[in-house]
Amino acid sequence: MSAAEAGDVFHRARGRTLDAFSSEKEREWKGPFYFIQGADPQFGLMKAWSTGNCNSSGDEWEQEIRLTEQAVQAINRLNPKPRFFVLCGDLIHAMPGVRAVFSGHYHRNAGGTYKNLDMVVSSAIGCQLGKDTHGLRVVVVTAEKIVHRYYSLDELNEKGIEDDLMELMKQ
């Protein structure tokens, strides 16, 4: 999926809400429902597997993107709609052009670099297991670099995004 296509998907999703998950409505049993669980789109593995080189050769994602789009289309056609969709397992096998991977689940800020790939772990909005505050990571992506900064919720709410990050987006 190109950046333009991803932007289009985001644009179409903007403003939509999921009333089923709002506050008090979820505290009471409302009857049976279903959800969809998908696993292992593992972008890049199909080429690697077909070439017999699973340690590399995963630089093409077209097949996996097509299948993932097919899965989303099938789910969107269901009636009644599922309550939610969970995607588990390996999301990617190889990362052509990827310079950083952002994740969570550690409930504290962490990370490192391996072979020019930054691994960035952001602390939690909720329960903190380290000394970090409840917060969010702002990530600015330009053609030349990726710059990220973790903000406490209070800091982001009171001060917003710092000027140097905002300046990067104007370039």
Side-chain angles (χ1 to χ4, degrees), residues 19-33:
D19 293 332
F21 287 104
S22 61
S23 62
E24 296 297 318
K25 290 181 182 179
E26 284 300 301
R27 295 179 189 235
E28 295 179 26
W29 177 252
K30 302 279 192 213
F33 67 92

Side-chain angles (χ1 to χ4, degrees), residues 21 33-40 67-68 70-89:
F21 287 104
F33 67 92
Y34 78 100
F35 67 93
I36 302 286
Q37 187 258 335
D40 297 310
L67 290 166
T68 302
Q70 185 179 348
V72 170
Q73 289 168 1
I75 293 166
N76 283 338
R77 282 202 256 324
L78 295 172
N79 189 13
K81 298 284 185 216
R83 191 71 167 270
F84 56 89
F85 173 65
V86 178
L87 184 61
C88 306

Side-chain angles (χ1 to χ4, degrees), residues 91-171:
L91 300 180
I92 58 174
H93 177 72
M95 300 167 282
V98 174
R99 296 182 227 162
V101 175
F102 294 87
S103 70
H105 203 63
Y106 190 50
H107 291 259
R108 64 192 81 179
N109 287 312
T113 303
Y114 177 73
K115 293 185 178 180
N116 297 321
L117 176 69
D118 287 331
M119 181 67 209
V120 182
V121 182
S122 295
S123 196
I125 292 172
C127 182
Q128 296 296 316
L129 300 180
K131 295 181 181 180
D132 299 304
T133 59
H134 306 277
L136 301 165
R137 184 169 305 277
V138 173
V139 182
V140 177
V141 180
T142 71
E144 296 80 33
K145 59 186 169 183
I146 298 171
V147 179
H148 57 88
R149 194 162 300 141
Y150 187 82
Y151 290 90
S152 73
L153 295 177
D154 291 337
E155 183 180 29
L156 195 57
N157 187 47
E158 292 169 13
K159 299 177 185 173
I161 299 171
E162 293 170 282
D163 290 342
D164 63 326
L165 294 180
M166 295 299 290
E167 200 57 38
L168 285 171
M169 291 187 289
K170 294 178 184 176
Q171 297 176 2

